[in-house]
Amino acid sequence: MWTPPSADHASLGAAHGSVALPPAGPSAGARLRRFMAFAGPGYLVATGYMDPGNWATALAGGSRFGAALLFVAVLSSLMAIVLQALSARLAFATGRDLAQVCRDALPKLFAMLFWLIMEAAIVATDLAEVIGTAIGLELLLGIPMGVGVLLTAFDAFLVLAFMRFGFRKLEAFVVSLLILIAACFAVELVLSRPDIGEAARGLIPTRALFTDQQMLYIALGILGATVMPHNLYLHSGAVLTRAVGTSLEERRGAIRFAVLDSSIALMFALLVNASILLLAAAAFHAHGHIEVAELQDAYNLIAPLLGSALAAKLFAVALIACGLNSTLTATLAGQIVMEGFVRLRLNPVARRLLTRSIAIVPAIIVIYLGGESSTNNLLIASQVMLSLALPFAVTPLVILTASRKWMGELKAPWLTSAAAYAIAAAIIALNLKLIFDAATGAG
């Protein structure tokens, strides 16, 4: 149940409760102003749903099967909306983030295990960002991938700058890059002229999903890569930057606004992911290119197939923007996880340099030994690592938010908890299958 956090243990330190809220009121204007003050954390979370791993699965699905897997992208986003809503609910019900509550709820040995697994997940996320950003720099500016990987280490200074300007400035920067990404894909969709009828049919589940092994495998990949484990921890800490009162009604209202914020942001992320899939369907599948899965291949094919060099450049710009956005959110997630589980605080830049260095080493080794073409395998490996870590975020979140002991009057409604348990079971089962397939070479 809710307990006021001490200044030493508040989630995200000085950023905790730093965003002032306008007074609540019955008028539509007052509600809108209050919602706008809550808007932001959901968009931080949305960046995790547009990382290079998601790009790879969407490109593979769209190029091979057209728009047939659009339904899977929609379903996976709806699952994510439910889980992120529970993350915000936990934060306002307890006054702490998910890592802090896990530290208190779990035996010490288990808490340490969860912490180590989540740190590995954040490194895996960082690895995908390193590769994606380096590919984007190579495609747009011709910078060799090995050099691009090393250049990504300097994003630590970007983190430092925004930490000094304040949390709202950081959120504004993330939203600006999300708008840039969406604009890039909007232009590409116009250039590719997707089949609207095919897109509409893609919203309906197809029987082939259960008879075509390759389609099922890619569908599992889309589902498995959607919910990022660190995002559940990130959201629970980011919403606590709002200066919400301690009364039950104030916290209940905060939950409503935070859930609305994250739901809108994740629908925005869905539009971007759906755009990637539809772009692949229109640009590649429709022209007989059904084996496009690597980001470099997609870039090289877009211009000749769409008849515009602009489309390829926008693809690279969007990829770099995704990398920059993920840089900021992964740093915040790492801070929340480390401080919450072990109460160890590091300077954000030092923390960023540490995790980025760990991610850079395997990327450089793979590029040196296997060449740039081998980076796609490393990208897939990072998604498998995230799959392994997923149960250690989803399971405690679903169990804790269903508990009156930890949530008090703000425990999740039984119907929401039932849906969350079903979603958690499905996601874990699908991710376990992906891990099994990756280990055995199936699919």
Side-chain angles (χ1 to χ4, degrees), residues 82-83 414-424:
V82 172
L83 294 176
W414 72 268
L415 191 59
T416 302
S417 290
Y421 272 110
I423 290 170

Side-chain angles (χ1 to χ4, degrees), residues 52 127-137 295 319-320 323 379:
L127 182 59
E129 294 160 12
V130 164
I131 295 171
T133 304
I135 291 173
L137 290 172
L295 300 173
L319 187 57
I320 294 172
L379 193 60

Side-chain angles (χ1 to χ4, degrees), residues 111 174 198 436:
V174 167
E198 183 187 5
F436 175 79

